[in-house]
Amino acid sequence: MSGSYNRQFLSILVLLSLSISNSIVFVLFLFDLWLWWNMDFRLLHDFIDDGAFWRSFTAHLKARKIHSNKIKWYVFYAKRFLRLARNTSVNALSSERVLVYLESIRKDPDFADFQVNQSVDAIHILLRDFFQKDYVDAIDWQSYKQHESTHNLVYLEELDIPELIAQQVARFDKSLQENYGVLLTRVVKVLRVRNYSKRTEQSYLMWIGRFLQFTSNTEQHDIGETQVREFLEYLALQRKVAPNTQKQALNALAFLFNFGFERELGNIGEFVKAKSSRKLPVVLSKNEIKTVFGHFKNKTYFLMAGLLYGAGLRLMECVSLRVQDIDFDYHQIVVRNGKGFKDRIVPLPARFIPALKQQIEKVSEIHKADLRKNIDGVYLPYALERKYPNAGKELGWQYLFPASRIATDQRSGKLRRHHLHPTALQKAISIAGRESNIHKRVHAHVFRHSFATHLLEEGYDIRTVQELLGHADISTTMIYTHVLNKPGLTVKSPIDLI
């Protein structure tokens, strides 16, 4: 009898334990299901293999009119971000961590400009529309994007002039015209209507021409990622180009694939990078600056060189200054659309104020004469000419250093007075440097190097110098601190001790 009771008791215990066990499993299942639906508590790397999530993400991108060829790369860059933020929950993902990641890809030499921009857009959409992070609107997303910028998104159909586009295509090698005439015409047209700068157009077309010659033995439909990788390695290994040159070539080829071949450039894989070398800038001493300035024979070139040194301007920033950029009341110069399409303010050298006022009077006289001849207004950036049709004929928009002759705009076909050609100033600086008998290579950028170095010598903090130079990264400005270290001046040569 007792044995029967024991068997019944054991059976009850087994059934009870199975019931408890199933309940625990069920509770755990409900908990997992709750975590699944409550996104805030999910770990970021858990999303990587979540097919349903990425189908929803892809559908959202299509609804936002993202180009179908780009969607897979948006997904790729979003997954890359989640993979690097593993073991972090959605709720714990801070804005600081996002900013660190954005800064890292912006500086990454392996990322071309278009790849940085796609990454920024993908992460922005992910955090705003899916994770719904409240700090998204506080992040300046545009500042992390590279200079494909909104400048290139302004469409100017009036620049689609077949005759002028044909003239540009005719400058290519005859063999390229015969084999790729339609392709090159399409590329030039997109560069024009998307309002890329003239210098960018020239650079892109040069690299596209070189690439097409490099792949001359390959059928056009077979040109792909392999050929791009081989070309980039050829530039690094055979041509010994600088890293930025290799990166510029990659950007040009990405443009060729997007708008020429009309297909996305895929992942080209690992390739040999151009070797970078850290070179100290050439800097003139203050006495050397005085000597060079004493050998300028032309007042205009003297003034322009004075602004290069006195305000730390780049060559193109100086020649493209407009009358309205000089603010005499606040003693400052407004630099418009500098490197990276950024504006900044630099000091107006007091000693050049009289000369600048005279220069503006000179520009005013030239402008009045141009108006009497009914010449088309000066070139205006972006779509301002369409928005303000008469602005190009106002004095404020005229170039501070106008060209001596009127020329035909190669893009619009209009007669305009452009700014002084940069090579004219470069030649004047080179001549002044040679006549000064200074045994350093004197060129336009040397004045900018000297501006930064002399400010640091005078005790200005490096952040101030960074702002004046318009550097996005302070590490670029840090190279000028070599004058503060002076490693060779505090050590006596051993031969002098004998």
Side-chain angles (χ1 to χ4, degrees):
M1 194 70 179
S2 61
S4 175
Y5 286 138
N6 286 337
R7 283 193 297 272
Q8 291 178 3
F9 180 71
L10 287 173
S11 298
I12 292 172
L13 286 178
V14 169
L15 291 172
L16 184 60
S17 63
L18 288 173
S19 176
I20 294 172
S21 176
N22 289 335
S23 298
I24 293 173
V25 170
F26 183 67
V27 169
L28 290 174
F29 169 75
L30 290 177
F31 183 71
D32 286 341
L33 188 63
W34 178 79
L35 285 177
W36 183 266
W37 287 105
N38 196 329
M39 191 175 292
D40 284 350
F41 292 93
R42 291 186 66 185
L43 296 177
L44 294 174
H45 63 264
D46 287 342
F47 289 93
I48 295 173
D49 297 322
D50 186 349
F53 179 82
W54 295 112
R55 284 192 292 274
S56 176
F57 187 75
T58 298
H60 184 69
L61 294 176
K62 290 179 179 178
R64 291 182 58 83
K65 307 298 183 184
I66 303 297
H67 195 283
S68 58
N69 290 337
K70 295 182 179 180
I71 287 179
K72 66 177 181 180
W73 295 108
Y74 275 57
V75 172
F76 173 82
Y77 293 124
K79 285 185 176 181
R80 183 182 187 274
F81 169 70
L82 297 178
R83 188 174 293 110
L84 293 176
R86 61 184 299 107
N87 296 324
T88 302
S89 67
V90 174
N91 190 49
L93 180 61
S94 64
S95 60
E96 290 78 12
R97 191 160 186 179
V98 175
L99 294 176
V100 168
Y101 180 79
L102 294 176
E103 185 67 19
S104 69
I105 61 173
R106 188 175 67 83
K107 294 180 180 178
D108 193 334
D110 293 341
F111 271 70
D113 290 345
F114 76 96
Q115 292 172 318
V116 173
N117 295 347
Q118 287 181 1
S119 298
V120 172
D121 286 340
I123 297 167
H124 188 185
I125 293 171
L126 180 70
L127 298 184
R128 181 191 62 198
D129 300 339
F130 286 81
F131 294 166
Q132 299 180 348
K133 305 300 288 186
D134 54 8
Y135 53 70
V136 167
D137 292 338
I139 296 176
D140 184 4
W141 296 92
Q142 197 63 34
S143 67
Y144 291 95
K145 299 179 77 170
Q146 299 297 70
H147 54 265
E148 288 187 328
S149 85
T150 55
H151 169 71
N152 298 332
L153 301 179
V154 179
Y155 286 84
L156 299 178
E157 295 298 337
E158 57 265 34
L159 294 182
D160 182 10
I161 304 174
E163 296 81 5
L164 297 180
I165 292 174
Q167 287 179 16
Q168 180 65 60
V169 174
R171 296 176 182 174
F172 282 94
D173 184 87
K174 287 186 178 180
S175 63
L176 292 180
Q177 293 180 48
E178 293 173 359
N179 297 325
Y180 303 103
V182 175
L183 171 70
L184 294 174
T185 300
R186 186 187 306 133
V187 167
V188 174
K189 178 179 177 178
V190 174
L191 283 166
R192 296 283 171 88
V193 300
R194 289 175 70 89
N195 201 26
Y196 278 67
S197 72
K198 183 178 178 181
R199 289 167 69 89
T200 301
E201 177 182 312
Q202 292 173 341
S203 174
Y204 275 23
L205 293 180
M206 182 271 291
W207 284 118
I208 288 171
R210 290 179 64 175
F211 176 70
L212 293 176
Q213 287 178 328
F214 181 81
T215 59
S216 58
N217 295 326
T218 306
E219 293 294 330
Q220 181 174 322
H221 59 80
D222 291 329
I223 297 176
E225 290 78 8
T226 301
Q227 286 70 32
V228 171
R229 182 172 61 253
E230 290 174 352
F231 180 68
L232 295 175
E233 292 185 340
Y234 159 77
L235 293 178
L237 299 175
Q238 309 256 349
R239 306 302 299 174
K240 308 292 184 184
V241 301
N244 284 341
T245 303
Q246 190 185 42
K247 186 176 180 181
Q248 184 186 65
L250 176 57
N251 289 332
L253 298 185
F255 182 91
L256 170 65
F257 274 75
N258 283 336
F259 302 108
F261 296 145
E262 295 182 327
R263 50 190 166 93
E264 189 84 8
L265 175 61
N267 186 1
I268 62 176
E270 292 294 323
F271 61 92
V272 178
K273 307 294 193 305
K275 292 183 179 179
S276 59
S277 58
R278 185 178 181 273
K279 295 181 179 179
L280 294 177
V282 176
V283 176
L284 301 180
S285 69
K286 293 175 183 177
N287 287 332
E288 288 172 332
I289 290 286
K290 291 179 183 177
T291 304
V292 172
F293 273 66
H295 286 82
F296 281 101
K297 297 178 175 62
N298 182 289
K299 290 183 179 179
T300 301
Y301 296 144
F302 174 84
L303 175 58
M304 296 176 77
L307 294 180
L308 291 177
Y309 171 64
L313 300 181
R314 298 179 177 93
L315 176 65
M316 288 306 299
E317 290 172 347
C318 179
V319 298
S320 59
L321 282 174
R322 301 184 190 248
V323 171
Q324 64 183 4
D325 296 334
I326 309 300
D327 191 333
F328 291 110
D329 291 335
Y330 284 97
H331 289 265
Q332 64 188 25
I333 300 172
V334 181
V335 180
R336 308 282 184 187
N337 300 319
K339 193 172 182 179
F341 299 102
K342 296 176 182 177
D343 295 351
R344 72 180 192 280
I345 294 175
V346 296
L348 172 61
R351 69 166 57 189
F352 292 126
I353 288 179
L356 284 169
K357 289 183 176 179
Q358 290 179 9
Q359 181 65 21
I360 291 175
E361 290 176 5
K362 178 181 175 181
V363 173
S364 178
E365 292 302 317
I366 294 173
H367 179 51
K368 289 176 183 177
D370 289 347
L371 289 177
R372 287 193 292 270
K373 297 175 185 176
N374 199 29
I375 292 171
D376 293 308
V378 72
Y379 165 78
L380 297 180
Y382 314 131
L384 286 176
E385 188 170 13
R386 186 168 54 196
K387 188 175 182 180
Y388 305 110
N390 297 319
K393 294 187 176 183
E394 296 175 3
L395 177 61
W397 279 103
Q398 304 309 304
Y399 287 112
L400 183 62
F401 302 107
S404 59
R405 293 180 296 178
I406 295 167
T408 302
D409 189 331
Q410 295 180 358
R411 292 180 152 201
S412 65
K414 295 181 179 180
L415 283 175
R416 303 185 190 275
R417 189 179 295 277
H418 206 52
H419 57 64
L420 197 69
H421 200 278
T423 56
L425 176 57
Q426 288 175 313
K427 185 176 180 180
I429 292 173
S430 181
I431 292 172
R434 285 199 304 270
E435 293 181 352
S436 301
N437 291 321
I438 294 174
H439 304 300
K440 295 178 182 177
R441 183 171 171 265
V442 181
H443 53 85
H445 218 64
V446 162
F447 292 123
R448 180 173 159 88
H449 292 325
S450 303
F451 166 83
T453 302
H454 295 168
L455 284 181
L456 290 172
E457 285 181 327
E458 292 299 320
Y460 289 93
D461 66 275
I462 196 165
R463 287 287 182 185
T464 300
V465 177
Q466 178 194 5
E467 290 294 323
L468 294 176
L469 292 175
H471 287 161
D473 188 352
I474 196 163
S475 63
T476 309
T477 317
M478 288 293 290
I479 195 170
Y480 297 110
T481 60
H482 71 284
V483 299
L484 304 179
N485 299 330
K486 300 180 180 178
L489 301 183
T490 57
V491 177
K492 285 188 176 182
S493 172
I495 197 169
D496 293 331
L497 301 175
I498 298 176

